[in-house]
Amino acid sequence: MAEYRLETSWRPVEGSFGCLTFTLFNLSTEALSGFSLAYTSETRIAEKHVCDGGSLKRQVAHFHEFLPPEGLSIPPGGRWRFSVDGLTRAPKHLTAGVKSAYLTLGDGRYVPVAFGPLLLDGRDGAAPPPLLSPDRVEEPYSLLPWPMSLGLKAGGLPDILYPAERTGPDAIKAVSVVVSLYQRLYPTEKVPFSLCAVKSGRAVRFVIESSIAAFAYELRFSAHEIVLSSADAAGRHYGLISLAQLLHGARAEREIFKFPNFGAIADQPRYGWRGCHLDVSRQFYPVSDIMRLIDILAWNKLNIFHWHLTDDEAWRLEIKAYPALTEIGGRRGPDEVLVPQLGDGAETRSGHYRQEEVRQIVAHAAALHIEVVPEIDIPGHSTATLLSLPELVDGQESPDSYRAVQGYSNNALNPAVEFTYEFLGKVFDEMVTLFPSEYIHIGGDEVAKGAWLSSPLCKALMEREKLAGTAELQSYFRKRVKTMLSERGRKLAGWNEVAHGGGVGPDGTLLMAWEKPAVGIELAQGGYDVVMTPGQAYYLDMAQAEAWDEPGASWAGYAPPEHTYAYEAELPEAVQAKVRGIQACIWTENFASRAYFNRLVFPRLSAVAEAAWTPLARKDWDRFAAIVRMWPVL
């Protein structure tokens, strides 16, 4: 049982972002004195604030440390209460409160503190609404994403499916891959395929048909066999996934879903880029979780895993040339260089991916026809990098001359420090041996206004290169980075801000429009290849309802699954060819537990998958809601 517990509440205050009240309960058998209270929270204290009953000792982004009044002693069973008026943003959901807490005692020990969700003081928060509608299906087939065309008649349920006689070894292996995938996703269920003929089963005959489009497949059903036609291995793989889904639904929900005996399916993806991004900097996910997420992407016919490996909070990728990146930048804790953030408590939390693990993950994804696109976020979001390698810093720059939106000071790689490019060159050299993707994502987002302007080296660079301000310094940096990637046979991908300040040219550049859909249209009109990933619909950390008790972030509003499913960017015909696809983004500030991850990511990830694959006219929310209940979670 915890010896200390922290309760927090928020009440609105006219003319400000409201007031937080903290109450620390001493549940131990001894008086508590000479201590400080540290906690992490996305609701940050503003520089200008009023604290009643305590004082802010230290703040680093989402980390806060408070001191009680001098001489305060909390007896057993007693409490200390203090309040703070002056926040950077008003909280809107219960997850905007404390994510971890601990005490530092007078003897230097760290003691964990239990805590609850942020309470709303003074008004009713309203209960969250249901997120999925009642079951209703007009065509009783369990397929997700829904195919381009389908005309089927249901019949008897085969016991299992198996490759027809004289099936080639490549097709046999493809069946085995899908069997293994199914066993990992549904370990207690009967598998959909056997590699051997089974009398009570139905044969699958594989046909190579060059007239079928890349990544497409056709399925033709009869009472005695199924014919799967495709022009390539990816199309064959997607066809096998569809067969596994059909059989899974017909077994799991026999009153609703059936298996076809006659008819055909013709299917191909709507977009070539059907992505899912995962931030592993704020929260670290072990290799087993990454593998399972990739399995889930495959089941949903997504084909891009965008792996966000670095940010202010941590550097997660082993770089042998610079071991300090993970030895320092992969660790957070009370006695580490990086202080606790977003769920870190009294114990150090660490984690990174060794290069041999990265190769395993990339190979696992490739076997499922998924491309891994790595991201190192530069030049901003680089606190972990700069603290790991101090030689990247201009020593004459004022240490708190600019501050990023998340509260980090001086967090951008300096474009005038020549070691910056030596460092990145060695990082890229190792990355290209790990990731065969044609793209390396360089982030490029949220560089603070006024960054580098107090750096003497940047002032000299601006004068020498005739550059004006932060945006043009960024453009200078990105152009050099793009050249470095080109020299290594890679293309540059980034967030939409990469186009700022003159940006980099559109040739060989892929940008992700996250701020709002109009940004993506403007970029496409400027000649850039674009992936649409608007926070208002495809950021899976956003809350799914306005209700206080619904978990998630709020800066982009809220997005119930039906909104995510139905969302369509209105693209002028002239730019449609420049939109490569769409992508879900999983930012993990709010995912301090597996339960929150699954609550926020699913079923919206599958909703994005169907939007990426299925033609608009073929989408049906009620059918989707009935099917997605059977789909796997992390």
Side-chain angles (χ1 to χ4, degrees):
M1 179 178 172
E3 293 190 322
Y4 308 97
R5 185 171 185 86
L6 181 65
E7 298 288 353
T8 59
S9 64
W10 175 80
R11 60 180 172 84
V13 175
E14 188 174 348
S16 79
F17 289 131
C19 180
L20 287 173
T21 298
F22 300 82
T23 307
L24 177 68
F25 293 85
N26 181 4
L27 307 177
S28 74
T29 58
E30 297 182 1
L32 176 64
S33 62
F35 66 94
S36 67
L37 167 68
Y39 71 88
T40 67
S41 174
E42 274 202 288
T43 300
R44 292 182 288 111
I45 306 302
E47 187 175 348
K48 293 182 179 180
H49 64 273
V50 176
C51 184
D52 182 15
S55 59
L56 181 62
K57 176 185 178 182
R58 182 171 54 138
Q59 179 183 359
V60 180
H62 306 288
F63 171 86
H64 304 75
E65 186 174 14
F66 277 89
L67 292 172
E70 187 174 353
L72 176 72
S73 179
I74 309 174
R79 67 192 68 180
W80 164 46
R81 176 172 293 172
F82 66 98
S83 62
V84 182
D85 190 341
L87 311 175
T88 59
R89 182 187 293 169
K92 295 184 178 180
H93 299 277
L94 80 170
T95 42
V98 170
K99 287 184 167 36
S100 60
Y102 66 89
L103 300 178
T104 303
L105 304 182
D107 60 5
R109 288 184 297 129
Y110 305 114
V111 180
V113 173
F115 59 93
L118 183 62
L119 302 176
L120 180 58
D121 188 8
R123 71 181 193 211
D124 182 11
L131 298 176
L132 290 176
S133 58
D135 295 343
R136 184 186 68 77
V137 294
E138 294 181 359
E139 296 185 88
Y141 304 107
S142 173
L143 285 167
L144 198 164
W146 194 249
M148 182 176 66
S149 73
L150 172 152
L152 300 173
K153 183 178 179 180
L157 180 63
D159 184 56
I160 203 164
L161 308 178
Y162 61 88
E165 191 176 351
R166 293 190 295 275
T167 294
D170 288 346
I172 295 288
K173 184 176 180 181
V175 173
S176 179
V177 166
V178 174
V179 170
S180 296
L181 170 66
Y182 188 88
Q183 286 178 302
R184 295 191 298 269
L185 294 176
Y186 299 102
T188 64
E189 304 297 325
K190 183 178 180 180
V191 295
F193 299 102
S194 166
L195 300 188
C196 298
V198 178
K199 285 186 177 181
S200 57
R202 192 174 304 171
V204 179
R205 182 160 57 88
F206 295 87
V207 174
I208 298 175
E209 181 57 70
S210 60
S211 63
I212 294 177
F215 313 115
Y217 67 92
E218 294 179 0
L219 288 168
R220 295 191 298 276
F221 295 86
S222 67
H224 66 280
E225 73 169 2
I226 301 165
V227 178
L228 196 170
S229 302
S230 64
D232 55 27
R236 179 178 60 201
H237 173 76
Y238 295 137
L240 287 168
I241 293 285
S242 290
L243 288 174
Q245 291 179 353
L246 284 165
L247 200 53
H248 176 74
R251 288 170 173 171
E253 298 283 354
R254 295 186 179 219
E255 298 302 313
I256 301 173
F257 298 107
K258 308 299 179 185
F259 194 85
N261 264 15
F262 299 97
I265 295 172
D267 199 10
Q268 67 183 65
R270 180 183 184 185
Y271 289 113
W273 187 289
R274 305 181 306 282
C276 176
H277 150 290
L278 178 67
D279 160 28
V280 296
S281 178
R282 279 56 178 254
Q283 310 294 339
F284 179 75
Y285 295 87
V287 170
S288 58
D289 283 357
I290 302 296
M291 295 283 208
R292 180 165 177 85
L293 179 61
I294 288 171
D295 284 346
I296 292 170
L297 303 189
W299 186 248
N300 286 276
K301 299 192 178 89
L302 292 164
N303 69 337
I304 299 290
F305 175 51
H306 172 177
W307 201 1
H308 186 89
L309 288 159
T310 75
D311 215 295
D312 287 306
E313 289 80 4
W315 181 290
R316 301 298 192 188
L317 175 64
E318 178 190 22
I319 299 296
K320 295 183 184 296
Y322 302 107
L325 288 170
T326 48
E327 291 172 357
I328 296 174
R331 301 173 62 85
R332 299 194 300 256
D335 292 322
E336 304 297 332
V337 174
L338 289 170
V339 300
Q341 296 288 347
L342 298 168
D344 305 327
E347 301 293 329
T348 292
R349 286 210 299 177
S350 64
H352 71 272
Y353 303 98
R354 302 192 311 274
Q355 291 194 1
E356 63 189 60
E357 293 173 325
V358 170
R359 290 189 178 93
Q360 292 170 3
I361 289 168
V362 170
H364 179 75
L368 296 169
H369 299 275
I370 293 172
E371 177 182 341
V372 179
V373 176
E375 178 186 352
I376 58 164
D377 202 348
I378 55 176
H381 290 281
S382 293
T383 298
T385 309
L386 294 167
L387 291 178
S388 300
L389 300 173
E391 56 266 44
L392 289 166
V393 177
D394 179 356
Q396 300 179 76
E397 183 178 22
S398 172
D400 196 15
S401 59
Y402 62 89
R403 196 173 289 271
V405 65
Q406 288 84 7
Y408 288 95
S409 62
N410 291 35
N411 73 330
L413 295 179
N414 193 310
V417 172
E418 199 56 32
F419 178 59
T420 295
Y421 305 99
E422 177 185 338
F423 157 71
L424 290 174
K426 292 182 179 179
V427 169
F428 293 149
D429 285 341
E430 296 192 28
M431 290 181 73
V432 298
T433 69
L434 299 171
F435 300 99
S437 170
E438 65 177 327
Y439 288 103
I440 289 180
H441 198 295
I442 59 102
D445 62 316
E446 296 185 325
V447 174
K449 184 178 180 180
W452 310 305
L453 298 186
S454 73
S455 162
L457 289 176
C458 277
K459 290 178 181 178
L461 175 63
M462 287 191 289
E463 184 175 347
R464 185 171 68 249
E465 298 290 335
K466 304 295 189 291
L467 304 174
T470 297
E472 292 190 13
L473 279 168
Q474 291 180 70
S475 181
Y476 169 87
F477 170 84
R478 289 164 184 155
K479 287 173 181 175
R480 287 191 63 171
V481 168
K482 184 173 181 178
T483 298
M484 295 169 69
L485 292 175
S486 296
E487 291 169 349
R488 292 161 174 81
R490 295 295 188 270
K491 295 179 181 178
L492 183 149
W495 303 108
N496 54 242
E497 293 98 319
V498 166
H500 291 179
V504 295
D507 183 38
T509 301
L510 178 70
L511 298 185
M512 296 184 174
W514 67 274
E515 291 180 289
K516 55 185 177 180
V519 170
I521 295 171
E522 291 169 7
L523 292 171
Q525 290 171 335
Y528 289 96
D529 286 336
V530 176
V531 172
M532 301 295 286
T533 178
Q536 297 78 9
Y538 294 162
Y539 270 35
L540 304 187
D541 59 319
M542 292 299 115
Q544 297 176 91
E546 191 174 10
W548 179 268
D549 288 343
E550 186 68 33
S554 59
W555 66 263
Y558 61 95
E562 188 170 2
H563 170 72
T564 297
Y565 181 82
Y567 173 80
E568 292 282 333
E570 296 183 6
L571 303 172
E573 187 175 348
V575 304
Q576 289 179 7
K578 301 300 292 182
V579 176
R580 295 274 302 279
I582 66 175
Q583 177 171 290
C585 287
I586 304 174
W587 298 100
T588 57
E589 289 94 334
N590 283 287
F591 295 165
S593 72
R594 180 66 57 88
Y596 275 144
F597 186 102
N598 285 335
R599 171 67 180 267
L600 285 157
V601 171
F602 306 104
R604 290 188 296 181
L605 179 61
S606 296
V608 177
E610 183 147 315
W613 182 283
T614 304
L616 173 60
R618 299 284 289 162
K619 291 165 68 174
D620 181 302
W621 163 253
D622 291 316
R623 182 203 63 238
F624 170 85
I627 295 170
V628 79
R629 301 170 195 273
M630 300 182 292
W631 257 225
V633 299
L634 195 66

